[in-house]
Amino acid sequence: MKDVQAEPDRRGVPIEKVGIRNIRYPITVRDRSAERQHTVASVSLSVNLPHTYRGTHMSRFVEVLDRHASEVSYHTLGEILGEIRRSLNAEESHIEVAFPYFMRRRAPVSGLEATMSYDCTISATLAGSLEIAARVEVPVHTLCPCSREISSVSAHNQRGLVTMTVGMTRFVWIEDLIGIAEESGSSPLFALMKREDEKFVTERAYANPRFVEDVVREAALRLDRLSGLRWYTVEAENFESIHNHSAYAVITRRKDG
Amino acid sequence: MKDVQAEPDRRGVPIEKVGIRNIRYPITVRDRSAERQHTVASVSLSVNLPHTYRGTHMSRFVEVLDRHASEVSYHTLGEILGEIRRSLNAEESHIEVAFPYFMRRRAPVSGLEATMSYDCTISATLAGSLEIAARVEVPVHTLCPCSREISSVSAHNQRGLVTMTVGMTRFVWIEDLIGIAEESGSSPLFALMKREDEKFVTERAYANPRFVEDVVREAALRLDRLSGLRWYTVEAENFESIHNHSAYAVITRRKDG
Amino acid sequence: MKDVQAEPDRRGVPIEKVGIRNIRYPITVRDRSAERQHTVASVSLSVNLPHTYRGTHMSRFVEVLDRHASEVSYHTLGEILGEIRRSLNAEESHIEVAFPYFMRRRAPVSGLEATMSYDCTISATLAGSLEIAARVEVPVHTLCPCSREISSVSAHNQRGLVTMTVGMTRFVWIEDLIGIAEESGSSPLFALMKREDEKFVTERAYANPRFVEDVVREAALRLDRLSGLRWYTVEAENFESIHNHSAYAVITRRKDG
Amino acid sequence: MKDVQAEPDRRGVPIEKVGIRNIRYPITVRDRSAERQHTVASVSLSVNLPHTYRGTHMSRFVEVLDRHASEVSYHTLGEILGEIRRSLNAEESHIEVAFPYFMRRRAPVSGLEATMSYDCTISATLAGSLEIAARVEVPVHTLCPCSREISSVSAHNQRGLVTMTVGMTRFVWIEDLIGIAEESGSSPLFALMKREDEKFVTERAYANPRFVEDVVREAALRLDRLSGLRWYTVEAENFESIHNHSAYAVITRRKDG
């Protein structure tokens, strides 16, 4: 059978990335407390394509993914990307793996445990060197400092989302990023709380009012002190309880120059 | 050209509904204050198909929609469905039109005006008679009665969504349904508020704590008194500020028997 | 601390369902070939609430879920729902568990294996008796019979989605439902195919043209013969390659009366 | 009332962007054939915040948006951003407006007309100078060259999405971008087609097979020739009819140096 993809191309246009997108696969990832956890990922894989070839061979991406789904981690990304590069005869290869990451969390007073999930995305590029980035979305509780100041009682509060994307120079635990995000809001969230926990969290948030501006600044100060990062972006989005739109703030910083 | 759809079918299986789904179209709807408003709809149209025919003629749905997009309202639904039934030689026809509905709203203290949007869906069936239903999703502010009771200060609050679906025996203004939903929460939402409004809304919500259970009960009592309804379903979903999941309640009631 | 939820309610309005919605949890489900598989679910749990009580105790839903996440299956649903009913002092309890279900699939000619995923939802209600339903969404390939007939070459084809929801009288394998959906389209989909498989699938689809009307009828005939079903709904939606909207058909049938 | 946002901040962290996100508003945009069209937008507005201030005044964004919703266009973006910058005392202001854009389209043989919609996003930044970018998502029909070559009949085809994002040095019609995207696939899509159109489109696609790699290259060659662009990114995503994942390609090019 003719290999149409391997035909020469005369249009003279190199392609930055070509590959597959949003294939859903069961994977295993590393986990600080249990060593490894099972989760479900949406994966995108791609390579560059020189101007001389008409197409790439998409099935090879799936073959590489299938061989490596049992461990997708900081430590295996280089291997996966090297294999893709070889298998597709490319100079550059890319991967993006988005998955919910699960952690057991204890309620602050009752100590009861349940599981929380956080949306994570690991992405990596192997060109000359290997560049790895991680992104984690952490839901937090935020209480409005202005509403607290001007109101005779209470303050509006809401669920917010802190999204941190970091370029890494060495392995960083997702758990540490989640911790930073949670300290930057008015209070963390929990899957399971009893009344004593609810009282604690309500009062903690009132003692700790935070605008989205405060959230990104608090996170930035902590990310500045965290080693292993080349750069970071921290975003905070509040699903305002008094509006039907969001408040949003973002800070991006390079740490290595 | 052969009409494959019109071929006889020997499998003996009638089809309940066949048609097109999620076609996006600019439409005009009725509006209590401005008479009519422009919006954008996602439309689904269908008919029944007797067991004797292989297929329906999908392009005719688009033709009917295109002729009527300049006024989709309670008053034109019967005409649209009649035309679909005739055009497709069917006994039953169905329509579902989902669109954002816009209303100018005044902030409670400053009186400043801006536009709020509410997701609406109008659906109708013409079989023997014409049945029309409307669904509106109204974001509200809810403050937790338990958190208020047990905490020394403040209470957790959040954005919630009240969804009301009603079967109608006569025309009912979307504005009236929105009003009922907003009265059932701790406070309505506004697109534009100044500090005096924010203070008002914060204190109003604290004076008016509501569980999802309270929200659906308050709405049910009001819907019981609203004339023109054959049945209703009211749902409340709170995007809990202290959890990453929702609290949810639903009541369904027939009023005509 | 005061139990606000347990307060009497004087509004006289019983609530059909109240509970938690869309909590994401890692779960284990049964699997025909591997016995059990790890996946990730979005879970909703609820009970009825008599008119005499103000609220339900939401944290108890999470406690029950956490105890049973290690096996959510047809065989444990009754136990989970019984525990919810007892824990919340209710007459009726409900569960809905939505998750991707994974299956190894062999390409039709090369025999190469990879993993496909299918969105499933198991829902159950324990009132007097236990009612269990399953829903599975199966992507298929469909080729248009009309386009094939009238065109001098080729025919437009596309990805479609077959959604089957079934009420069960006894355990039915998800694998059997997926099989029925795939036989009802022009061809199944595969995650991994080589050129010989692509040729096979292209030619198979052309030999096997199917409207959405054909897809639901073919599935209905097969579901009629499958034992263990009380009722079924089968829907087919084609993401038309020549339109930016879908073609859609649905058949619902009771089998037990 | 105290202005908490205006308080000095001692953390020393400037914020890149702070503002509101995803507020839905009815807007009017320019249109080549009808001069202007009504549509519905999701709008995000932001400014930079120097390290010396604690917060921004979110309500002012809504006031500016409300004043300008009756014409959001290439020609008014500078004015809107200037007003935001003044109103919020900022050095930089940003806007992003996402909306469906509607066009009447004639079927290729029957000449019948209906409306197609395309997702557009206009974004702009006013810092030293004004930078404007547009993004448009154009659904197309693509037919696989490999499947056509190796199969004895037919070829798999599907709906694909061409996304073009362009930085502009002068006004460019959305209609021209849509035209380029549609020429780059195997065939355009239509909302309304009769059998003669369906035959035409089926045969046109077969005569015109295109990988995602071909689509982005064809679009790139045309975007290279289009004047008024500083840079462009063109992406093609095929919702493969034989897989449950996408094929994807992207090219980015600067034109001004």
Side-chain angles (χ1 to χ4, degrees), chain A residues 205-256:
Chain A
Y206 192 76
N208 219 10
R210 295 276 163 91
F211 289 127
V212 283
E213 292 93 327
D214 294 315
V215 174
V216 290
R217 278 172 167 153
E218 291 297 320
L221 292 172
R222 285 164 177 80
L223 289 166
D224 281 343
R225 290 192 299 265
L226 184 70
S227 66
L229 306 188
R230 196 184 303 284
W231 55 265
Y232 65 80
T233 295
V234 55
E235 301 166 275
E237 177 166 7
N238 272 357
F239 308 111
E240 297 284 293
S241 57
I242 61 169
H243 295 301
N244 200 24
H245 56 261
S246 296
Y248 174 78
V250 58
I251 291 173
T252 292
R253 207 175 277 188
R254 291 209 67 83
K255 295 180 67 174
D256 60 354

Side-chain angles (χ1 to χ4, degrees), chain A residues 103-178:
Chain A
M103 277 176 69
R104 297 294 289 175
R105 301 297 305 267
R106 258 178 211 294
V109 180
S110 69
L112 292 174
E113 258 195 19
T115 298
M116 280 282 291
S117 71
Y118 305 89
D119 283 309
C120 291
T121 303
I122 305 294
S123 57
T125 287
L126 180 63
S129 63
L130 177 64
E131 303 264 351
I132 300 180
R135 176 183 154 105
V136 56
E137 299 178 29
V138 182
V140 298
H141 184 182
T142 60
L143 184 136
C144 178
C146 169
S147 167
R148 181 189 194 278
E149 178 68 34
I150 63 181
S151 306
S152 60
V153 286
S154 191
H156 76 80
N157 51 73
Q158 55 267 316
R159 203 189 293 163
L161 194 65
V162 181
T163 302
M164 295 187 309
T165 315
V166 303
M168 296 189 278
T169 56
R170 62 165 185 74
F171 177 74
V172 172
W173 283 107
I174 289 174
E175 286 82 348
D176 287 333
L177 297 174
I178 292 171

Side-chain angles (χ1 to χ4, degrees), chain D residues 32-195:
Chain D
R32 183 144 67 177
S33 45
E35 202 156 324
R36 35 184 54 228
Q37 70 172 250
H38 297 279
T39 186
V40 164
S42 175
V43 181
S44 299
L45 298 165
S46 61
V47 292
N48 73 309
L49 185 72
H51 70 89
T52 44
Y53 290 105
R54 180 152 186 210
T56 196
H57 292 86
M58 302 278 186
S59 64
R60 298 181 194 168
F61 291 109
V62 182
E63 291 176 298
V64 176
L65 172 61
D66 193 65
R67 274 200 294 278
H68 288 277
S70 60
E71 192 184 343
V72 179
S73 71
Y74 188 90
H75 304 281
T76 63
L77 287 172
E79 199 179 324
I80 296 171
L81 287 176
E83 217 169 287
I84 288 173
R85 212 163 59 165
R86 275 191 306 280
S87 161
L88 286 141
N89 261 322
E91 291 111 49
E92 300 181 9
S93 55
H94 311 275
I95 186 170
E96 194 175 288
V97 187
F99 55 92
Y101 184 78
F102 296 98
M103 276 176 70
R104 297 294 290 175
R105 300 298 304 267
R106 258 178 213 294
V109 181
S110 69
L112 291 175
E113 257 196 18
T115 298
M116 280 282 291
S117 71
Y118 305 88
D119 283 310
C120 291
T121 303
I122 305 295
S123 57
T125 287
L126 181 63
S129 63
L130 177 65
E131 304 265 350
I132 300 179
R135 176 183 154 105
V136 56
E137 299 177 30
V138 182
V140 298
H141 184 182
T142 59
L143 185 136
C144 179
C146 168
S147 166
R148 181 188 194 278
E149 178 67 34
I150 63 181
S151 306
S152 60
V153 285
S154 190
H156 76 80
N157 50 72
Q158 54 267 316
R159 203 190 293 164
L161 193 66
V162 181
T163 301
M164 295 188 308
T165 315
V166 303
M168 296 189 275
T169 56
R170 61 164 186 74
F171 178 73
V172 172
W173 283 107
I174 289 173
E175 285 83 349
D176 287 333
L177 297 173
I178 292 171
I180 286 176
E182 292 189 338
E183 287 168 29
S184 305
S186 298
S187 168
L189 306 191
F190 298 90
L192 174 58
M193 278 194 268
K194 292 295 178 184
R195 261 173 295 167

